[in-house]
C-alpha cells in the first residue's frame, strides 16, 4: 500500500523531504500547502494556501508539517476532526504549555504524531544506545557539538533549531532528567542575523558530566557526539558522515539518511498503529521543550 502524503511548507528543508518522499516506496506526495512561488517539481501536486483547505479535500492519508512551530500546533488542532498520522518538524511547539496541550490532543483523539528528531532517526543512534546500555555505570562524560551556518530565523532562537536535537538525544539515551545544577553561556553572538553559539554544562543523575556546544554560527556544519568512559575508552559518532567509532576504530556506517529512516518508521507506525513510539517521542519532546525554555524563549 502506498500512502498519499500532504506536505505543509515549501521552504529549503521541504526540498530535501520531497526528494526522500520520491525515493520512498511507501509514500507519494499528493498535496502541498505553499504560499510562495512553486518550483517545477510541484507541477503534478495539488497546491493549497492553508492546511485547513488541504484537509478538506480528504484525499491524503498522512501529513508532514515542515513549517513553523505554530503551524505544527494549528495542524494538530485541525486533526481533531481529521484524524491522520502526522510528522512534525522540530521544534514541535514554541513553548512548554503548547506541547503539553499537543500531547493531550493526540492522546484524546488517537492521533499518531512522529516528531522528527534527526539524531534519533539516524541509524547511528542504535549503535550509540547499545554502547550506553553496555556501559551504564562506567560513563564519565558526554560531549555534543552540533551546529551550522544558519538558519537565521526571527521567531526562533538557534538553540531550538540545533539544540533541540542534542537535548532530545540525551533524554533518549539516558532516560533520566537533567540535574538542575546546570549552566549555560553564549560563546559567540551576532545580533545582525540572529546568530548564536551557546555552551551548556550539566550532569545526568549527578554523575555523568555533559557539555553541549550548539548554535547557528559554525563555519562548517557539525553533528558530533563523544561518550567517554572512566577507563578512557570512548565512542565517537559523526552524524554528518553517518559513522560510529569506538577508540578510533570504525564499527558502523549508516546506510540510510535520517529522513529515509524517519519515513520508514512513519510507515511502520501507521501500518501497526504504534502509539507507543509516538508517545515516547512526544514525551522526549516535552522534556526537551521544558529545558530549552529555561535557557531561551523560542
Amino acid at each position: 500500500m502506498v500512502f498519499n502524503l500532504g506536505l505543509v511548507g515549501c521552504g529549503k528543508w521541504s526540498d530535501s523531504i520531497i526528494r526522500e518522499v520520491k525515493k520512498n516506496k511507501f509514500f507519494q506526495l499528493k498535496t502541498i500547502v505553499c504560499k510562495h512561488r512553486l518550483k517545477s517539481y510541484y507541477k503534478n501536486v495539488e497546491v493549497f494556501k492553508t492546511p485547513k483547505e488541504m484537509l478538506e479535500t480528504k484525499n491524503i492519508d498522512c501529513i508532514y508539517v515542515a513549517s513553523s512551530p505554530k503551524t505544527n500546533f494549528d495542524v494538530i488542532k485541525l486533526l481533531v476532526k481529521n484524524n491522520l498520522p502526522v510528522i512534525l518538524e522540530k521544534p514541535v511547539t514554541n513553548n512548554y504549555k503548547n506541547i503539553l496541550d499537543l500531547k493531550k490532543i493526540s492522546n484524546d483523539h488517537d492521533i499518531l504524531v512522529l516528531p522528527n528528531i534527526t539524531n534519533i532517526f539516524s541509524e547511528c543512534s542504535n549503535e550509540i544506545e547499545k554502547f550506553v546500555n553496555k556501559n551504564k555505570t562506567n560513563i564519565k562524560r558526554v560531549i555534543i557539538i552540533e551546529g551550522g551556518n544558519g538558519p537565521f530565523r526571527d521567531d526562533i532562537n538557534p538553540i531550538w533549531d540545533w539544540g533541540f536535537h542534542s537535548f532530545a538525544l540525551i533524554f533518549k539515551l539516558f532516560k533520566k532528567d537533567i540535574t538542575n545544577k546546570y549552566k549555560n553561556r553564549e560563546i559567540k553572538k551576532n545580533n545582525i542575523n540572529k546568530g548564536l553559539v551557546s555552551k551548556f554544562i550539566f550532569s545526568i543523575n549527578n554523575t555523568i558530566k555533559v557539555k553541549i556546544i550548539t548554535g547557528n554560527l559554525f563555519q562548517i556544519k557539525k553533528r558530533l557526539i563523544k561518550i567517554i568512559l572512566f577507563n578512557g575508552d570512548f565512542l565517537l559518532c559523526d552524524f554528518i558522515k553517518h559513522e560510529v567509532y569506538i577508540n578510533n576504530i570504525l564499527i558502523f556506517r549508516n546506510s540510510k539518511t535520517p529522513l529515509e529512516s524517519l519515513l520508514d518508521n512513519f510507515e511502520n507506525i501507521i501500518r501497526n498503529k504504534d502509539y507507543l513510539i509516538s508517545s515516547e517521542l512526544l514525551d522526549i519532546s516535552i522534556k526537551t521543550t521544558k529545558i530549552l525554555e529555561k535557557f531561551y524563549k523560542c
Side-chain angles (χ1 to χ4, degrees), residues 6 8 31 33 48 50-58 60 63:
V8 179
T31 65
V33 175
F48 297 94
T50 68
K52 186 174 184 294
E53 291 174 5
M54 184 180 74
L55 286 167
E56 285 172 350
T57 66
K58 300 186 185 303
I60 53 174
I63 303 171

Side-chain angles (χ1 to χ4, degrees), residues 4 8 14 21 23 55-57 60 87 113 117 127 133 136 146 151 170 180 202 217 240 244 250 258 276 280 288 297:
N4 291 326
V8 179
S14 298
V21 170
K23 292 191 302 185
L55 286 167
E56 285 172 350
T57 66
I60 53 174
I87 295 174
V113 180
I117 307 171
E127 298 301 316
N133 290 337
K136 280 182 180 178
E146 184 158 30
I170 290 293
N180 285 330
F202 54 90
L217 284 175
I240 302 294
V244 180
L250 179 68
L276 188 62
E280 179 190 359
T288 303
K297 296 294 183 183

Side-chain angles (χ1 to χ4, degrees), residues 128 142-144 169 173 224-227 235-237 239:
I128 300 170
V142 178
I143 301 168
I144 298 178
L169 183 61
L173 290 174
L224 300 169
I225 180 170
K226 188 173 186 179
I227 301 174
L235 175 145
L236 175 67
C237 173
F239 285 106

Side-chain angles (χ1 to χ4, degrees), residues 268-286:
N268 185 61
I269 73 162
I270 294 173
R271 201 175 298 281
N272 297 312
K273 297 188 183 302
D274 195 336
Y275 290 95
L276 188 62
I277 291 178
S278 174
S279 181
E280 179 190 359
L281 290 174
L282 274 177
D283 285 341
I284 289 171
S285 300
I286 286 169

Side-chain angles (χ1 to χ4, degrees), residues 64-151:
Y64 195 132
V65 187
S67 187
S68 69
K70 182 182 182 304
T71 304
N72 285 349
F73 192 46
D74 289 343
V75 169
I76 289 294
K77 288 188 287 187
L78 287 171
L79 290 179
V80 170
K81 293 183 180 180
N82 303 273
N83 188 329
L84 296 174
V86 58
I87 295 174
L88 300 179
E89 278 295 336
K90 56 75 200 158
V92 179
T93 66
N94 55 4
N95 61 66
Y96 182 61
K97 178 185 179 303
N98 277 1
I99 197 166
L100 291 177
D101 291 342
L102 187 150
K103 175 73 185 287
K104 186 176 187 308
I105 292 169
S106 68
N107 284 345
D108 291 348
H109 299 277
D110 293 329
I111 301 169
L112 283 166
V113 180
L114 198 61
N116 181 17
I117 307 171
T118 301
N119 292 348
I120 289 176
F121 284 107
S122 168
E123 288 183 318
C124 295
S125 293
N126 297 328
E127 298 301 316
I128 300 170
E129 199 157 4
K130 282 192 284 187
F131 184 84
V132 167
N133 290 337
K134 182 181 177 181
N135 299 283
K136 280 182 180 178
T137 60
N138 297 315
I139 298 172
K140 180 180 180 181
R141 295 188 69 196
V142 178
I143 301 168
I144 298 178
I145 301 174
E146 184 158 30
N149 186 18

